[in-house]
Amino acid sequence: MSEAAAATASPTNATGYSAAQQLVTTDWNIVVAIVLMAWAFGWSGGKELVSTSYTGAKDKAAEQKAAHAERKRTKKAAKAAAKNA
């Protein structure tokens, strides 16, 4: 820390200020994003866009989970066949 900063702010105060600044900036960005989404798509259109995206993400995750389980079953069956051969 520089001499000027050390003379004016303690590390605790600087950390608190930094954390508060990050929280305020994040909150502001969320508000701006919601306002822009509502402006661009309309409130119901934005809500529909978010819910459709969420549903799509859940479906994609379920597909990936099923594919992973299938690969795991195939690998396990191959090991069992090799062991029994």
Side-chain angles (χ1 to χ4, degrees):
M1 189 181 307
S2 70
E3 269 187 55
T8 58
S10 71
T12 303
N13 286 343
T15 302
Y17 176 82
S18 178
Q21 184 180 25
Q22 289 175 357
L23 289 172
V24 168
T25 301
T26 300
D27 289 347
W28 174 250
N29 288 339
I30 290 170
V31 168
V32 169
I34 290 171
V35 168
L36 287 175
M37 186 181 67
W39 175 73
F41 300 106
W43 185 253
S44 61
K47 187 176 175 182
E48 181 182 343
L49 177 67
V50 170
S51 64
T52 301
S53 296
Y54 183 70
T55 302
K58 282 175 44 177
D59 292 345
K60 183 70 173 176
E63 288 173 13
Q64 289 175 344
K65 186 176 180 180
H68 176 71
E70 182 60 33
R71 285 191 307 270
K72 193 173 178 180
R73 276 193 299 273
T74 303
K75 188 175 181 181
K76 191 174 183 179
K79 278 186 179 181
K83 188 177 180 182
N84 292 336

